[in-house]
Amino acid sequence: MQKITPFLWFDQNADEAIQFYLSIFKDAKIINESRYPEGAPGVAGTLMSATFQLEGQQFMALNGGPTFQFNEAISLFVDCQTQAEVDELWSKLTADGGEESQCGWLKDKFGVSWQIVPRALGQYLGDPDPARASRAMQAMLQMKKIDIAGLERAANGG
């Protein structure tokens, strides 16, 4: 097990969320699951917690009830190589009730916040020419899903 593992508290749909994430990421698997026993706070036999892996990163999930809700204070940052990868993940994670936000952020249908960010964004924002970096920043601030071609046009003054 990795030393630090993100732990996600779901109401009663952790199993549905895990299956959703497994369907989106190519390198994904369930590592282990535990079920509520008789006499526990959850319904006996239903998923209590699970450890799963997405793209080499382990996560834990708990069906803990409605006590806590997700918010944007914590998000899952996904480093994307291409616009096609950004487009695919954006489409899948916002499906069926997910919500688009600004600057590459979204919430999936379970309320988990994600940042779907092309590596090119860091290159444009870190451009040694401050005018190019500023134009890229201004363009990014107007975007929901990050558009690499749009960043390039803005950085180049177009």
Side-chain angles (χ1 to χ4, degrees):
M1 178 182 245
Q2 61 201 30
K3 190 157 187 87
I4 299 173
T5 302
F7 189 96
L8 305 173
W9 180 301
F10 294 89
D11 182 354
Q12 294 301 316
N13 55 358
D15 41 359
E16 180 186 351
I18 292 167
Q19 291 305 314
F20 178 68
Y21 302 142
L22 294 179
S23 76
I24 292 173
F25 293 93
K26 293 170 181 66
D27 178 17
K29 63 183 176 183
I30 294 174
I31 296 170
N32 63 51
E33 295 181 340
S34 61
R35 306 237 164 231
Y36 279 108
E38 290 292 334
V43 176
T46 63
L47 183 71
M48 180 172 63
S49 66
T51 302
F52 63 102
Q53 186 173 315
L54 305 174
E55 302 295 337
Q57 172 69 50
Q58 284 189 16
F59 297 85
M60 293 183 75
L62 171 72
N63 272 328
T67 305
F68 300 110
Q69 303 297 311
F70 294 112
N71 68 50
E72 294 82 358
I74 297 289
S75 61
L76 303 176
F77 183 99
V78 182
D79 176 39
C80 298
Q81 297 295 319
T82 66
Q83 187 67 52
E85 185 180 11
V86 168
D87 294 347
E88 177 183 5
L89 290 174
W90 190 270
S91 174
K92 289 179 177 179
L93 286 166
T94 57
D96 301 323
E99 299 175 24
E100 295 184 350
S101 189
Q102 294 300 117
C103 307
W105 290 58
L106 63 85
K107 277 188 178 181
D108 67 28
K109 64 183 177 180
F110 302 100
V112 175
S113 292
W114 297 78
Q115 294 180 60
I116 307 302
V117 181
R119 190 165 290 174
L121 176 63
Q123 295 165 345
Y124 286 114
L125 297 181
D127 194 295
D129 178 346
R132 282 177 55 81
S134 178
R135 289 190 301 265
M137 171 66 79
Q138 293 309 308
M140 186 263 313
L141 291 172
Q142 302 304 310
M143 296 176 182
K144 289 188 177 192
K145 178 178 68 173
I146 303 297
D147 173 47
I148 297 171
L151 292 173
E152 182 177 12
R153 281 191 305 276
N156 291 334

